[in-house]
Amino acid sequence: MTFRMTRRGFAAGAAGLLAAPMLPRRAEAAGSIVAAAFPGSWEDAYRTIMAPIAAEAGVDVTIAPALAQDQVGKMMASGGTPPYDALLVSPGQTAMLQEQGLIDEIDPSRLQNWDLLIDSAKTPLGPHVTVEVNGLAYNPETVPKPSGYRELFENPAFEGRFGVQGFGSNTATMAWAEIAKLYGGEPGDMQPVFDLLREKIDWIGAIGTSGNAIRTMYRQGEIDVFMASTGNVARLRSLGLPCEFAHPQSGSPAIPVAIHMTKGASNPDAVYAYMDAAISAEAQRQLAEPPSGYIPTNSEVDFTEIILEFVTPAQLANAIYPDWATINKHRAEWTAEFDRAVAM
Amino acid sequence: MFDEGEDRDIAAGAAQDGPAAAAQVSADPTRGLIVRDVSHAFGGMAALCNVGFAVEAGGVVALLGPSGCGKSTLLRAIAGLIAPDRGEIVLDRRDMTRVPARRRSIGMVFQNYALFPHLTVAENVGYGLASRRLPRREVAARVAEMLRLVRLEEYGARLPRELSGGQQQRVAVARALAVRPSALLLDEPFGALDRGLRAELQDEFIRMQADVGITTVIVTHDQEEAQTVADTLVVMHAGRVEQVGTAEEIYDRLVSLFVNSFMGHANALPGRLAAPKTVTLACGPSLDLDRAPPFPRGAEVVVTARPEHVALGPPGAEGALAARWIRAAPIANMLSVDLELADGTAVKALVDRLGGPRHAPGEAVSLTLDTRRMHVFAPPRPI
Amino acid sequence: MQRTTGAIFASPMLAMMLLFFLAPLGVLAVASVTGPEGGLTLDNYRVFLADGFAVGVLVDTILLGLKTVAAVTLLGVPLALLYWHSGPRMRTLILVATLLPMLTSNVVRTFAWIVIIGRNGPISQTFVELGLSDRPFSLMFSETGLVMALTQIELPLLVLPLIAVLSAADRRLVEAAEVLGADRWRSLVTVLLPMMTPAILAGWVLVFASATTSYVTQSVIGGARLIYMPQFVYREVGVLFQWPMAAAISFLLLVSTGIVMLGVTILARHRRLAAYA
């Protein structure tokens, strides 16, 4: 078959291309939505596992990579025409989105799998699809297993070997909140952390600006310990790197990840279908396997070997869930102060 | 008279005995510029082939030839900008062949002048002096002197692009002369100027050259310019010297068909030597010569005649060639007439404007060649 | 007649500029002087300029740009001179080697630099092997490392204009200097460098603009301890959602880098250089 292009056809095509950005963003095919996912392993997992499952339900999902905080920013900037139909965020962002009126409550009766969810995963704004358990990722070949956050700042074995991030990251924010407690801070008081940072700034191996940057450092052998979720560790292992997960003695901060429907979503039916797929046993069973190793929220799905290696159901039950309202209130101020504490 | 032999042998001969040629041209063979047996190739392509000539101290020689004949390459070799593969360049008894350009003490005026655009006129003129680390005051005095010489005293603070073409040319000359070089080289120095200005600057150049009395080599493709400016012409062709001599010597004693056609216009008529002294022209008629040319009977030859040696007559004149009048243009008190022979060969004639023949285009005329002033050459070899 | 025709042909470009460049800039300007209640205020600027830390970040950003410009110049000018003196084969090689990195994304090049300047990278290992350093070291999160990476990433922005100028340059100017007795250094300083100056200045503007705004390289190689304006702006936009403040900071960055670039441009307009431009 030959492809013949007439001048008229070319002109029409070119005009279409030029006009494309001005057209309504989403294709009009039935059941097609744009869903945000965190860049990196989440994006990969959702594209390879979730999208096909949703497609079976007749929903064409485009996975758009965006950090939780960026999703909030883009939603705030969109002025009534949301760039996403479904968001993937954690409670900190959920609170902000709710406050700004950017997400809608859902109707649980539209989700067939709703009743299979564990109780804590059922929220009025949407289902939790997993709980990330946080702790410390370390390289067993180069450093001893850290007992907790405090040891990182005190055992010379970790001097210059661990990497941290600022308050832009949820993982880091939760870790800093724990560290503040360990060094005598009341809830909402981050001063002990800033004092510690100022005192031990040269002790810290690397202060990165994103999770990806920190993980790249780890892969390059620049650092051997960092604040991480179990998912991060599973991912690095799947790349063939030696990596272990350590629960801090003070407890492991945990953070659920939820899917929300944006206000003004183009196709609520399709979003429901997508949510339903995300909490289905089929999807969660696959996502619980390497490389993602996400902890399931569907009660029918058992913890897989890789998850059990990091977290037992008992450990999950004892996990620490930070107070995101307090964090959100102080986040701006902490972010600014963090810059000042670490800047050269 | 008729010239003897094949052009290239003579040219090569002239080139090979450079010292002899030098002695011929130079009054004082120990001073001035001698170029001896210079050959050079660019990536296997011969650009210069056994080139030699000499300039007496204070003399002006013009390297004359069409573009691509190697004259600029030769000039660059003299300047030291290229090291020739073979040969010798001697300036005032010093062998310069291996001396780098910056130590040759040569002044050069480049084609389009190559003035430094970001430097003022005064800085341009003083550049060579500053290179020699002369004291600032000395440089300033010499610059002022040079600007006076080229009558640009008022222009010292200007940038080159704020000057006219003629002024730029004079700055280039001043810059080259400021360092009191042993020789001055000029590459098409008048090429970028319009006709009127060119004549004016040529006159000025002659005056100045006489004042300074510097050994000078000028490259040009314009034979009129060469005749005006230089005492000696070196006619070059395809990387070789064709002929060396004064303008008059060359004009009258042509060594080759090339020189003949390059020095002024020459009507070339192909023919065959029918008898020792008779040429049958390709267009039909035969010419009787007053001397036997050195070619065997039956040889292909080319007969040349200058326009002023072509006389016009009424159609059908005895012993004349039939031709048609094409057009005429006045040159001073002469008339340059374009004619066409029966076989289409174009011929130029130069006749008196007043009292000379006048015809309408297309009219039949006859023309007679002055056989005493004609030259016979071997036909050009295909290159 | 010719003028009006030209204007007609330029009009789509003008419309584009108005619509996609000036209009958003206007929106940004308005946002930067909008208070929380919507009134006109200069508070955002006042807050930024009163904050010593923030002003320090601005100064560091400009210094980073200047350091990169200096490093790129020290590397790029000799490279361009090598190009000038090379034959056609070497010239192609230099051109391709200069252009090739531009075909990969800035992000990829930045991550490649993590490998190069890291603790286990070739620089550290070479120093250790040569006995110049007792133990492996990392240039990550150091300004040295950042300037090195930026230098390589921005190098084409200086070298390409230089190559363009040198390819079209009149070699007879250098020959004229040579015949006038100038040695290599003198002809480099008095002829070649002035000839290259307009391209160098153009390159400086590009390198400076690019280095001061390269968010990815700054944040990945510089990390959180070296804070520059783009990160600062991103923080305000994406983490703190302080958009009027972000607009004000962007404007301050625009103005301060604009002043540096304007200075360079004025320099390039010098009448002595006009002939080469």
Side-chain angles (χ1 to χ4, degrees), chain A residues 95-132:
Chain A
M96 275 187 259
L97 290 163
Q98 193 181 13
E99 195 182 313
Q100 302 273 340
L102 295 167
I103 48 177
D104 278 331
E105 289 202 357
I106 60 154
D107 174 5
S109 68
R110 303 284 303 272
L111 299 174
Q112 289 169 14
N113 294 313
W114 181 261
D115 293 333
L116 301 175
L117 286 174
I118 56 173
D119 286 343
S120 63
K122 298 173 181 169
T123 80
L125 289 163
H128 290 172
V129 294
T130 188
V131 176
E132 281 197 333

Side-chain angles (χ1 to χ4, degrees), chain B residues 122-184:
Chain B
E123 288 164 344
N124 263 285
V125 174
Y127 189 91
L129 303 163
S131 296
R132 286 164 176 71
R133 292 165 202 256
L134 287 168
R136 208 169 278 251
R137 185 176 303 181
E138 230 171 281
V139 172
R142 179 69 176 161
V143 167
E145 185 188 341
M146 293 318 295
L147 289 179
R148 220 164 24 249
L149 179 73
V150 296
R151 292 182 299 165
L152 287 172
E153 298 98 318
E154 309 297 316
Y155 294 83
R158 294 222 192 161
L159 290 175
R161 72 193 153 89
E162 294 163 345
L163 302 182
S164 70
Q167 289 167 334
Q168 288 181 16
Q169 195 257 12
R170 276 142 63 195
V171 174
V173 172
R175 180 176 75 174
L177 290 177
V179 295
R180 300 178 208 275
S182 317
L184 178 63

Side-chain angles (χ1 to χ4, degrees), chain C residues 105-115 149 153 216-217 220-221:
Chain C
S105 109
N106 191 5
V107 180
V108 174
R109 282 185 277 166
T110 296
F111 278 86
W113 271 98
I114 297 180
V115 180
I153 290 167
V216 173
T217 312
V220 172
I221 307 273

Side-chain angles (χ1 to χ4, degrees), chain A residues 69-70 72-73 76-77 96 160-161 201-202 206-209 216-217 220-222 332 335 339-340 342-344, chain C residues 51 53 111 114-115 118-120 138 140-141 219-220 223-227 231-232 234-235 238-241 243:
Chain A
Q69 203 72 1
D70 288 351
V72 178
M76 282 170 69
M96 275 187 259
R161 304 311 307 157
I201 190 70
D202 294 322
I207 305 179
T209 49
T216 305
M217 298 277 92
Q220 293 303 320
E222 292 285 307
T335 304
D339 282 351
R340 285 160 175 74
V342 303
M344 282 190 198
Chain C
D51 182 351
F53 177 78
F111 278 86
I114 297 180
V115 180
R119 196 180 303 276
N120 303 320
S138 169
M140 282 296 292
F141 307 131
S219 59
V220 172
R225 297 196 61 192
L226 291 167
I227 301 170
Q231 268 161 283
F232 218 65
Y234 176 79
R235 180 79 41 77
V239 180
L240 307 178
F241 307 117
W243 293 343

Side-chain angles (χ1 to χ4, degrees), chain A residues 9 11 17 39 44 63 78 90 105 134 143 177 220 269 278 291-292 303 306:
Chain A
L17 270 181
D44 289 349
I63 300 293
S78 64
S90 293
E105 289 202 357
N134 282 251
V143 287
Q220 293 303 320
D269 292 345
S292 40
F303 279 26
I306 180 133

Side-chain angles (χ1 to χ4, degrees), chain C residues 212-259:
Chain C
T212 50
T213 57
S214 71
Y215 172 77
V216 173
T217 312
Q218 288 173 4
S219 59
V220 172
I221 307 273
R225 297 196 61 192
L226 291 167
I227 301 170
Y228 300 100
M229 290 297 274
Q231 268 161 283
F232 218 65
V233 174
Y234 176 79
R235 180 79 41 77
E236 296 291 330
V237 173
V239 180
L240 307 178
F241 307 117
Q242 301 289 326
W243 293 343
M245 187 65 187
I249 299 175
S250 306
F251 246 83
L252 284 171
L253 179 61
L254 190 73
V255 168
S256 38
T257 55
I259 288 171

